[in-house]
Amino acid sequence: MFKRIFTNAKNRLQGIVANRLLVAIFIIIVLFVILIGRLFVLQIVNGQEYLDGFTMQIQKTKNTGGTRGNIYDRNGKIIAYNELAYSVTIEDNGEYDSLVDFNKELNATIQTTMEIVERNGDVVINNFGIILDAANNYKFVATNDTQLLRFIADVYGKTYIEDLSEEQQNSTADDIMKYLCTNEQYGYGINMKKMDKAQVLKLVNVRYAISLNSFQKYIETTIAEDVSKETVAEIMENMSHLQGVDIKEESLRRYNEPYAFASVIGYTGGISQEEYNEMEKDEQKRYFLTDEIGKSGLEAELETYLKGESGSVKLFVDNEGKIVETAETKEAKAGNDVHLTLDLDLQVAAYNVLEQEVAGVLLSRLRNILDYDRESVEDASELIVPIGDAYDALVSNDVLSIRHMTEEGAGATEVEVNGIFEGKKAEVLGAIEALLRDPGAASYEGSSEEVKAYLNHITDTVLTSRYQILVSSAIDRNDEVYKQWHDEGSVNIYTYLNHAIGKNWIDASKIQAEESTNKYSDSSELYNSLVDYIIQAIDNDNTLNKLVYRYLIKSGAVTGRQLCMILYEQNVLPFDQDQYNRLADSSLGAYDFLRGKIETLSITPGQLALEPCTGSLILTENKTGNVLACVSYPGYDNNRLANTMDSNYYNKLVQDQSTPFYNKVTQEATAPGSTYKPVTAIAALTEGVVDTSTIVNCTGTYEKVNPNPKCWIYPGAHGALNVTGAIAHSCNIFFYEAGYQMSLEPSETGEEQYSSSLGTDTLKKYATQFGLDEVSGLELPESEPKISDEASVPSAIGQGTNNFTTSQLVKYIGGVANRGVVKDLTLLNNVTDTNKNVVKEFDDKEETVVEGVADSSWDSVHQGMEQVIPQNFIAPFASLTSNGITVAGKSGTAQQSKTSADHALFVGFAPAADPEVSFAIRITNGYSSTYAAEVAGDMLSIYYNTKPREEVITGAAKSVSVDSTHND
């Protein structure tokens, strides 16, 4: 019985187990009970504890850049350093329902923040690749195609330029602005119609900076840096309703004496994606994309030494973005300090001396006439500078702002001048359109100079270089109509452009209306569209506006008095009520007023960009090659480019006709003129074509080659001279003869025949030994030198195709001073760590020796250079001579063209008997080497302390007389 009961129970149990549904239900019930219990523990028993813990689960890592190392001069005076300052930043720590809400709230926050910043006199970041030009049009900042395409690629989110479509590559500045403001997927949601262009651009500046970080959570973007205490206080007061906005203390790069040092030191800026990509992988580990990096000059060249080691901080923040706990910190480390060979005080003094001299030369040539035909002058030394050119320079070189004259708040004279301009502009546009549509219009050559300027601008700038509608590569230069237009000027622009259409030189796709899908039915339709395009393009063309102003100024319709008054109205000059009133009532003439401002350097030669307006100076130690001063004039304020770049200022420097970014010491190469004669003397003496007693009779003309070259003293003559006297008097005839003799080779008949290539090869052999075939060794970008390879006779006096920078000349002249020991130049002394320990010495510069030169040859050359000063330049070196310091020198003038003044050069060393320093100076278009010699005299008088500094550095233009002689 019991057995049967057990068997029945077993069977029933097996049936239940066999039922899978019942098993599943049982398991679910058990799990549900467990889950309910667990939820009870989490929410009721331990709920508050876990809630508190949750607020600390958002981890944020902040990168902290290592402080950049300082740069010091040779005496420990600081040139580049870091300074703590307050910046306004924004980061994403909010939540948004949609892209529309995100854009709306973010834009509103940025606009409110910008208003606070600007209300307190501070400036919002302006480092975007687009600016507003003087005509209030959007304009790219990039100066070349590669830079431009890289910027466009960044905007469209492309890693490589090659990834851009053709349409994207051809994007205009307006296209980019429209894309960033309105694109549905990537745009910033900015209504371009409800805001003026300036406000739109400011907002895009900030939004684009944010986008470069992809606006990642908790990564800060700077809105404004180095802000005032007032801005800090107001931001702090309003922070509760400015989502993500904060005040941060940042380390900003600063530069002492920026104008004197900018061309050497350069500046820093945010690292670009392209710069990061070009780094080696190991190097990339040292950088974040938010880091600063050296962009130019020694800041770039010494990046490896100056760069600090980045650190990081790991933080926990709550759900409102507030820091709750610091979890882990890796300390940043400062970079190494670099010590230069430069002397800060000497560098600043040299800059001032050079500026004073250039201003003095400019004033000596300035005349009170509005217009002047430079073609009418036979000798470049007789060229003058009409005051009309100076008035025009105020507009053409952006000393005055055309745009400001059109804005609300413009001064009374600005409004008056703008009215004159607007009337003239409308007249010009009408006249140009009439010319373009008239088959019977006057030929190019039959047009006025003003009309020619407008036509050149249309064909060369607007149609060719700017918009590439007239495709340069497609033009047949041998085409008859092209030659009639370009060479002869015998056809009008209507004929030329219609011919260009017929020859398919015009890219019709670039003038096709966007909404049109049809091609032009015939050439006349295409031409009419081309004319419409031209008129629209030049109507908003700042270059054309400046041309209009030029001819208004030359005609007297816009007066110098008005422009000088606007200097005050636009705050270019500190306001002077008395002078303003005297200009207004004409009791003070504009010519005298502007001369006075140039004399006091209130308006500088660099600002006016007339001839002369630039120069270079370099002073070195003979025994070491260490550079004591290295000045390129004019300079610029690298503080405005460091950290977050001021794009408007950068663009102004790029467009500046005095080319401040172009280092005149290392990049400007010209013929050396007579400063080359010591090379020729050494070559001739060593080759034996002359000796120290050889006499050459200078009659003023050299007749052994045709055409007969002249001595600089012609129609005078130097008479009989040996090599020492020839250097002292810089006699061309002696060195023509030396060049000729080095060019003679035996012929098959046994007679000597002239071979120019033999002469240039011989000269090159010695020039090469003096290092003139290579760069100087300076740790800066430098133009390659060129030793003349044609015309041995003119090459012997530094003409031919000789081309050298000032840095290359001083290296060579140092070799002359050292009697053949040529030292590479350097700007670097050593590198020290944060504990002042030297970690790197820069003492491995190369030197070469000029072989085979007799002591008597060196003696003759040195004696000739010593006599240059008493023979020609007594006054500039008087204080040195009276203190027993003899200077050996060599002057030079290098011709540029008939319509431009010669370049003025002076090189040398001191003291002559035991040379310590060598120097080279060039005043570009400086007329006479006398002026370069005056710079040398002033610079050396400061170096040797033979004059009180205040007597040399006066803060005013140097008083110079017109010198029509060359002295070389």
Side-chain angles (χ1 to χ4, degrees):
M1 181 178 179
F2 286 107
K3 185 177 180 180
R4 188 169 54 250
I5 292 171
F6 176 78
T7 301
N8 288 338
K10 179 180 177 183
N11 290 337
R12 286 174 184 167
L13 182 60
Q14 287 175 340
I16 291 172
V17 172
N19 191 325
R20 294 181 180 180
L21 178 61
L22 290 175
V23 173
I25 291 171
F26 177 77
I27 293 172
I28 290 171
I29 290 171
V30 172
L31 290 176
F32 186 73
V33 170
I34 294 172
L35 179 61
I36 293 295
R38 185 61 179 159
L39 287 173
F40 179 81
V41 172
L42 290 173
Q43 294 188 359
I44 305 303
V45 178
N46 297 323
Q48 187 60 47
E49 179 183 347
Y50 284 120
L51 179 62
D52 293 341
F54 169 74
T55 62
M56 294 166 43
Q57 297 308 303
I58 303 173
Q59 182 176 293
K60 166 184 177 181
T61 301
K62 292 184 64 175
N63 300 318
T64 55
T67 305
R68 197 170 180 82
N70 296 330
I71 301 177
Y72 297 91
D73 84 335
R74 68 191 292 113
N75 301 311
K77 294 183 179 179
I78 199 160
I79 301 170
Y81 62 101
N82 308 290
E83 182 177 81
L84 290 177
Y86 290 112
S87 296
V88 181
T89 64
I90 188 169
E91 64 179 37
D92 179 11
N93 57 18
E95 299 294 335
Y96 308 95
D97 295 330
S98 66
L99 178 61
V100 172
D101 288 340
F102 169 76
N103 279 329
K104 183 177 179 181
E105 292 185 34
L106 181 57
N107 290 342
T109 298
I110 293 171
Q111 284 182 286
T112 302
T113 306
M114 290 194 303
E115 289 170 5
I116 293 172
V117 169
E118 292 180 336
R119 182 162 57 242
N120 290 291
D122 294 315
V123 180
V124 175
I125 61 168
N126 179 34
N127 60 341
F128 185 48
I130 293 174
I131 61 169
L132 282 171
D133 67 15
N136 204 39
N137 296 313
Y138 293 123
K139 171 187 175 182
F140 288 120
V141 175
T143 56
N144 61 55
D145 289 342
T146 301
Q147 289 177 332
L148 175 58
L149 289 173
R150 182 63 260 168
F151 168 67
I152 293 174
D154 289 342
V155 168
Y156 287 115
K158 305 296 184 182
T159 304
Y160 303 104
I161 291 173
E162 294 76 15
D163 296 336
L164 290 167
S165 67
E166 185 176 352
E167 181 181 2
Q168 289 172 333
Q169 288 183 30
N170 293 323
S171 295
T172 65
D174 285 301
D175 293 334
I176 295 294
M177 291 297 293
K178 183 178 179 181
Y179 170 81
L180 289 175
C181 289
T182 64
N183 183 270
E184 289 185 4
Q185 186 174 359
Y186 301 107
Y188 304 149
I190 300 171
N191 192 325
M192 301 178 75
K193 295 180 180 178
K194 288 188 176 181
M195 300 168 61
D196 64 42
K197 286 186 172 182
Q199 286 300 112
V200 170
L201 187 58
K202 288 177 187 176
L203 187 51
V204 169
N205 256 285
V206 178
R207 287 298 308 269
Y208 184 73
I210 290 171
S211 73
L212 292 178
N213 295 327
S214 301
F215 204 42
Q216 299 173 57
K217 287 283 187 180
Y218 312 114
I219 292 183
E220 299 160 353
T221 299
T222 299
I223 294 178
E225 60 186 18
D226 196 17
V227 296
S228 63
K229 293 179 180 178
E230 291 75 16
T231 293
V232 171
E234 193 168 350
I235 291 291
M236 297 292 285
E237 289 172 7
N238 292 276
M239 199 176 292
S240 60
H241 61 268
L242 293 175
Q243 181 71 36
V245 176
D246 201 357
I247 296 293
K248 299 293 181 183
E249 197 172 49
E250 292 185 332
S251 178
L252 300 180
R253 196 65 162 171
R254 300 290 194 222
Y255 301 104
N256 284 325
E257 303 295 346
Y259 285 88
F261 278 98
S263 61
V264 174
I265 300 298
Y267 54 91
T268 63
I271 186 172
S272 67
Q273 184 69 56
E274 188 174 24
E275 288 169 328
Y276 183 80
N277 291 342
E278 289 176 353
M279 292 178 176
E280 299 292 333
K281 287 188 177 180
D282 288 343
E283 191 179 5
Q284 286 180 347
K285 294 176 183 177
R286 299 181 64 201
Y287 290 88
F288 298 108
L289 285 172
T290 53
D291 281 350
E292 297 284 311
I293 192 172
K295 292 287 188 178
S296 71
L298 291 180
E299 285 279 29
E301 296 295 324
L302 301 172
E303 176 66 23
T304 302
Y305 301 109
L306 295 168
K307 165 74 171 138
E309 184 178 327
S310 298
S312 63
V313 180
K314 289 185 179 180
L315 307 168
F316 286 104
V317 298
D318 62 21
N319 52 358
E320 294 181 351
K322 295 178 181 177
I323 297 172
V324 177
E325 181 182 334
T326 300
E328 183 181 334
T329 300
K330 177 187 175 184
E331 294 292 338
K333 296 181 181 178
N336 292 320
D337 297 332
V338 175
H339 300 259
L340 305 182
T341 63
L342 295 172
D343 182 310
L344 183 145
D345 293 333
L346 192 62
Q347 177 87 358
V348 173
Y351 184 89
N352 290 329
V353 163
L354 193 55
E355 181 174 61
Q356 290 174 180
E357 189 74 33
V358 173
V361 178
L362 175 60
L363 284 171
S364 74
R365 300 287 169 156
L366 196 62
R367 300 290 183 272
N368 194 14
I369 58 176
L370 285 180
D371 206 1
Y372 174 66
D373 181 11
R374 299 175 78 87
E375 297 281 354
S376 65
V377 177
E378 291 297 324
D379 189 337
S381 66
E382 298 174 359
L383 288 166
I384 64 166
V385 179
I387 192 64
D389 284 1
Y391 297 149
D392 174 56
L394 295 175
V395 175
S396 65
N397 207 37
D398 295 318
V399 180
L400 296 176
S401 167
I402 297 174
R403 180 178 161 195
H404 191 274
M405 298 184 198
T406 67
E407 295 177 345
E408 186 177 348
T413 315
E414 289 183 90
V415 172
E416 179 185 357
V417 168
N418 186 60
I420 298 169
F421 165 76
E422 293 291 351
K424 176 67 172 177
K425 175 76 176 289
E427 177 187 320
V428 167
L429 290 176
I432 290 174
E433 183 169 8
L435 281 173
L436 288 167
R437 297 193 188 279
D438 182 6
S443 67
Y444 175 87
E445 197 56 45
S447 304
S448 67
E449 291 302 313
E450 179 178 355
V451 170
K452 286 179 182 177
Y454 299 142
L455 295 179
N456 288 337
H457 177 62
I458 290 169
T459 57
D460 299 345
T461 303
V462 176
L463 293 181
T464 305
S465 61
R466 184 177 298 167
Y467 298 115
Q468 297 177 0
I469 291 169
L470 189 56
V471 183
S472 181
S473 60
I475 296 174
D476 178 6
R477 265 64 182 180
N478 294 317
D479 181 89
E480 189 60 34
V481 174
Y482 173 81
K483 289 193 289 187
Q484 288 173 348
W485 167 261
H486 189 269
D487 302 332
E488 303 166 15
S490 58
V491 297
N492 59 31
I493 192 167
Y494 178 94
T495 301
Y496 173 58
L497 291 181
N498 271 284
H499 184 75
I501 289 172
K503 291 291 185 177
N504 292 319
W505 299 345
I506 297 289
D507 185 349
S509 66
K510 292 186 177 179
I511 56 175
Q512 187 92 19
E514 288 184 11
E515 63 277 7
S516 174
T517 57
N518 299 320
K519 293 184 177 180
Y520 297 104
S521 59
D522 56 35
S523 61
S524 63
E525 184 180 341
L526 174 56
Y527 183 74
N528 286 331
S529 294
L530 177 61
V531 171
D532 292 340
Y533 186 97
I534 290 170
I535 297 303
Q536 183 179 357
I538 63 176
D539 187 27
N540 299 300
D541 182 354
N542 192 48
T543 305
L544 184 85
N545 291 345
K546 289 181 178 181
L547 281 175
V548 172
Y549 266 106
R550 173 169 297 169
Y551 289 100
L552 283 171
I553 291 166
K554 285 189 173 186
S555 68
V558 168
T559 66
R561 177 189 62 82
Q562 291 171 314
L563 296 172
C564 290
M565 291 174 70
I566 294 173
L567 287 171
Y568 285 126
E569 292 181 357
Q570 292 191 0
N571 297 316
V572 176
L573 298 174
F575 193 78
D576 185 319
Q577 188 68 61
D578 177 62
Q579 287 204 326
Y580 183 83
N581 291 341
R582 290 179 61 205
L583 282 167
D585 65 21
S586 298
S587 61
L588 174 60
Y591 174 73
D592 291 331
F593 172 85
L594 195 53
R595 278 193 69 95
K597 296 306 176 188
I598 298 171
E599 284 172 358
T600 60
L601 300 177
S602 302
I603 299 291
T604 66
Q607 285 178 287
L608 294 175
L610 301 170
E611 290 185 359
C613 67
T614 64
S616 57
L617 179 159
I618 183 166
L619 176 73
T620 66
E621 288 180 332
N622 281 326
K623 299 294 189 290
T624 63
N626 289 342
V627 178
L628 302 174
C630 180
V631 169
S632 174
Y633 179 83
Y636 58 92
D637 186 354
N638 49 355
N639 286 300
R640 296 182 64 179
L641 302 181
N643 310 304
T644 300
M645 178 181 286
D646 181 341
S647 291
N648 285 327
Y649 184 62
Y650 175 82
N651 182 69
K652 185 180 186 306
L653 294 175
V654 169
Q655 301 296 325
D656 196 314
Q657 295 162 28
S658 66
T659 58
F661 276 147
Y662 188 63
N663 191 322
K664 312 303 186 297
V665 177
T666 62
Q667 294 177 298
E668 182 178 53
T670 70
S674 294
T675 63
Y676 193 74
K677 288 174 179 174
V679 177
T680 304
I682 291 294
L685 289 165
T686 308
E687 290 294 315
V689 298
V690 299
D691 59 32
T692 56
S693 60
T694 298
I695 300 295
V696 173
N697 186 44
C698 170
T699 61
T701 302
Y702 190 70
E703 298 180 347
K704 291 185 179 181
V705 294
N706 287 307
N708 302 151
K710 304 287 193 295
C711 189
W712 67 265
I713 202 172
Y714 180 85
H718 286 115
L721 294 171
N722 62 9
V723 66
T724 298
I727 291 174
H729 293 279
S730 198
C731 177
N732 288 353
I733 303 301
F734 185 97
F735 290 99
Y736 287 149
E737 177 65 11
Y740 183 82
Q741 292 296 326
M742 283 187 282
S743 304
L744 295 178
E745 61 181 358
S747 67
E748 293 179 358
T749 63
E751 295 181 359
E752 290 184 316
Q753 64 180 13
Y754 174 72
S755 169
S756 178
S757 61
L758 174 62
T760 54
D761 286 347
T762 304
L763 286 168
K764 182 176 182 178
K765 180 175 76 172
Y766 289 89
T768 297
Q769 291 187 67
F770 279 106
L772 287 172
D773 63 328
E774 59 186 9
V775 295
S776 67
L778 286 179
E779 296 83 0
L780 293 171
E782 187 170 339
S783 297
E784 291 292 329
K786 168 68 173 175
I787 299 174
S788 184
D789 54 5
E790 60 183 54
S792 61
V793 169
S795 294
I797 67 162
Q799 299 295 333
T801 57
N802 282 311
N803 242 19
F804 307 110
T805 65
T806 320
S807 53
Q808 289 152 12
L809 290 178
V810 82
K811 177 182 175 180
Y812 131 66
I813 212 66
V816 174
N818 291 336
R819 302 173 79 88
V821 179
V822 183
K823 298 275 187 178
D824 270 4
L825 306 185
T826 183
L827 293 160
L828 307 181
N829 191 343
N830 60 50
V831 178
T832 59
D833 62 20
T834 53
N835 296 317
K836 308 302 180 186
N837 299 313
V838 175
V839 297
K840 171 71 174 176
E841 290 275 8
F842 296 98
D843 56 1
D844 54 350
K845 302 302 286 187
E846 294 184 2
E847 71 176 35
T848 57
V849 178
V850 182
E851 302 287 353
V853 181
D855 287 342
S856 59
S857 298
W858 290 119
D859 292 341
S860 294
V861 170
H862 278 218
Q863 289 166 14
M865 292 180 69
E866 283 184 53
Q867 292 177 24
V868 165
I869 306 304
Q871 291 287 346
N872 304 292
F873 305 106
I874 296 173
F877 298 92
S879 71
L880 292 151
T881 303
S882 63
N883 281 275
I885 300 169
T886 304
V887 179
K890 187 68 203 78
S891 58
T893 57
Q895 297 173 358
Q896 179 171 322
S897 71
K898 178 184 173 183
T899 57
S900 290
D902 296 343
H903 306 307
L905 299 102
F906 198 83
V907 300
F909 50 87
D914 185 16
E916 298 172 352
V917 295
S918 296
F919 57 85
I921 294 144
R922 177 192 286 116
I923 300 177
T924 311
N925 305 121
Y927 289 91
S928 169
S929 55
T930 297
Y931 306 131
E934 289 179 351
V935 172
D938 282 342
M939 179 189 65
L940 291 175
S941 69
I942 288 175
Y943 180 76
Y944 285 109
N945 198 27
T946 61
K947 271 187 189 179
R949 188 184 181 92
E950 61 273 15
E951 190 177 314
V952 180
I953 311 298
T954 63
K958 180 130 182 174
S959 178
V960 305
S961 58
V962 174
D963 186 349
S964 297
T965 64
H966 296 291
N967 293 117
D968 50 14

